[in-house]
Amino acid sequence: MNEVSSLTGKNKKRKNVQYVGHFEHIFKCPICDSPMEAYEFKSLICSHNHTFDFAKHGYLNLMNHPIKTKYNKELFEARKKLMVDDKFFEPLSQTIVHAINKEIDVKKENLSILDMGCGEGSHLSTVCNILSSYKDKDVIGVGIDISKEGILVASRSYSHKVWVVADLANTPFKDKQFNVILNILSPSNYGEFNRLLKDDGVIIKVVPQKGYLKELREAFFSEAEKQSYSNEETVERFKESFNLLGRLSLDYKVILNKPSIQSLLRMTPLTWAVKKDKMNSFMEKDVYHITVDLEVLIGTKKMKKLK
Ligand SMILES: C[S@@+](CC[C@H](N)C(=O)[O-])C[C@H]1O[C@@H](n2cnc3c(N)ncnc32)[C@H](O)[C@@H]1O
Ligand SMILES: [Zn+2]
């Protein structure tokens, strides 16, 4: 790296750290739960001196112990390419924005959105961009993921966001900090989601439906392995913790060329166990029509009744 690009990198990190510093009040120490403060563009420190340095591009790693996941840099790069170049999830972003607009008066206050299991950050970035284009208040986007590789790609790609390596079951944030919680194709922890959501906030959870990437399932799995899919159990569990305001079904096809289908094969855990030769013979076509079949659950907090 030459001197100019390394300086640019340092400036970028400083700018991102400065941005995160504006939101120091949302954090609590992952070790002792006390409030935290940003210190000299370098670290986030709690009142008991537990210190977490800002990493590359200004993200924070607030895990107590390192975790290795199967989601690697290649997967997140492929996911980003599909989202940015092929607009793979564009209708989903529009649906999410629509739901947020319907449930929250986005013009009233600065909007804070937490994406739980944000991966490489494109969903959060797109949703924040669309929302901030038609309101004159700030949209604060916070993305967490347990995979450092995902957060690294996110922080390199998207500035003016708070990117944190953390476990969504035990997050380093104070109670009731967020207007919106997004949880897209990722695990959930509804106790933690409830704790973090403002009383009038909204949770948006996205789960796959039976047609999701069915072309890959048909090519790679035998009849017996093709799980029959139902979201009813997921919906029941969601309803135990939140008022279910709506279930939206999204079913569309994306046309992908050969390079993009390679990205698709890399971006999904579905192909982790598939042999190379099966993958290669799948990649013989020039054009593919791939199904995206998703369900969006929209919920609000269940308020405890006053006696
Ligand atoms: C299928 S990916 C979806 C990522 C992103 N939401 C998207 O749609 O592109 C699932 C994500 O959940 C993350 N994840 C799994 N367990 C987690 C946990 N306990 N805390 C935070 N993130 C987690 C993974 O690292 C991965 O990035
Ligand atoms: Zn502490």
Side-chain angles (χ1 to χ4, degrees):
M1 190 189 286
N2 63 35
E3 211 172 310
V4 175
S5 59
S6 113
L7 259 185
T8 316
K10 272 187 199 150
N11 281 342
K12 195 175 156 207
K13 176 175 173 185
R14 198 180 162 89
K15 272 196 171 159
N16 286 346
V17 169
Q18 193 173 22
Y19 181 80
V20 179
H22 293 136
F23 306 107
E24 59 184 8
H25 59 275
I26 69 173
F27 289 93
K28 69 179 177 86
C29 175
I31 297 170
C32 70
D33 281 351
S34 44
M36 304 193 84
E37 271 183 26
Y39 174 73
E40 286 189 350
F41 298 105
K42 200 173 157 280
S43 323
L44 203 62
I45 303 186
C46 87
S47 44
H48 291 110
N49 277 336
H50 296 122
T51 303
F52 298 85
D53 288 345
F54 286 95
K56 242 185 181 175
H57 313 298
Y59 77 84
L60 281 162
N61 188 340
L62 297 182
M63 293 288 292
N64 281 329
H65 49 92
I67 284 213
K68 253 201 133 9
T69 78
K70 278 186 90 176
Y71 289 85
N72 57 20
K73 188 166 161 248
E74 203 193 17
L75 177 147
F76 289 115
E77 294 284 9
R79 223 173 162 83
K80 182 180 151 204
K81 188 180 170 307
L82 267 183
M83 287 199 227
V84 175
D85 298 348
D86 297 296
K87 314 272 181 253
F88 198 72
F89 288 116
E90 191 170 71
L92 174 63
S93 308
Q94 296 292 348
T95 303
I96 291 173
V97 168
H98 189 75
I100 294 173
N101 257 327
K102 188 160 168 247
E103 302 309 332
I104 287 184
D105 184 356
V106 291
K107 295 222 163 75
K108 204 176 78 187
E109 55 181 324
N110 287 339
L111 196 63
S112 52
I113 305 180
L114 172 62
D115 189 353
M116 294 288 232
C118 65
E120 49 60 67
S122 295
H123 288 298
L124 180 65
S125 168
T126 309
V127 166
C128 289
N129 283 347
I130 304 176
L131 281 167
S132 49
S133 70
Y134 51 72
K135 77 195 236 25
D136 55 8
K137 295 272 170 33
D138 273 346
V139 179
I140 301 136
V142 180
I144 72 153
D145 201 284
I146 203 162
S147 163
K148 197 174 101 181
E149 305 293 346
I151 293 297
L152 188 60
V153 177
S155 61
R156 200 182 55 214
S157 313
Y158 305 110
S159 45
H160 282 93
K161 296 278 169 294
V162 180
W163 299 116
V164 184
V165 183
D167 183 351
L168 60 77
N170 181 21
T171 64
F173 304 115
K174 294 178 190 159
D175 297 357
K176 300 187 184 181
Q177 294 298 316
F178 300 97
N179 301 100
V180 179
I181 287 185
L182 301 180
N183 182 224
I184 305 172
L185 304 171
S186 296
S188 304
N189 184 298
Y190 293 152
E192 189 69 347
F193 293 6
N194 254 311
R195 182 181 76 75
L196 296 170
L197 202 58
K198 291 187 181 182
D199 286 342
D200 56 356
V202 59
I203 162 162
I204 298 177
K205 177 170 179 65
V206 179
V207 286
Q209 299 202 105
K210 79 168 183 299
Y212 183 60
L213 308 184
K214 70 171 187 232
E215 295 75 11
L216 300 192
R217 282 172 219 280
E218 281 164 9
F220 297 138
F221 301 111
S222 66
E223 275 311 313
E225 285 171 314
K226 283 178 214 154
Q227 317 97 316
S228 72
Y229 232 97
S230 163
N231 284 334
E232 292 318 306
E233 219 175 276
T234 309
V235 172
E236 280 316 305
R237 282 218 310 114
F238 187 90
K239 274 161 60 176
E240 283 164 17
S241 300
F242 301 100
N243 300 311
L244 179 65
L245 299 184
R247 294 175 69 170
L248 306 174
S249 188
L250 262 183
D251 187 0
Y252 57 91
K253 281 196 192 289
V254 182
I255 299 174
L256 299 180
N257 60 17
K258 215 176 245 183
S260 298
I261 208 75
Q262 286 174 353
S263 300
L264 181 72
L265 295 179
R266 275 194 217 114
M267 77 138 202
T268 169
L270 259 185
T271 53
W272 280 348
V274 177
K275 296 237 162 62
K276 262 236 147 63
D277 53 339
K278 259 191 163 179
M279 295 254 249
N280 287 341
S281 59
F282 183 75
M283 282 191 286
E284 273 160 12
K285 288 197 281 179
D286 288 329
V287 175
Y288 299 77
H289 292 76
I290 300 291
T291 307
V292 183
D293 185 13
L294 301 167
E295 182 163 31
V296 183
L297 308 180
I298 303 158
T300 50
K301 259 177 137 161
K302 285 187 174 173
M303 290 300 164
K304 289 198 184 79
K305 287 197 182 83
L306 295 172
K307 286 195 184 137

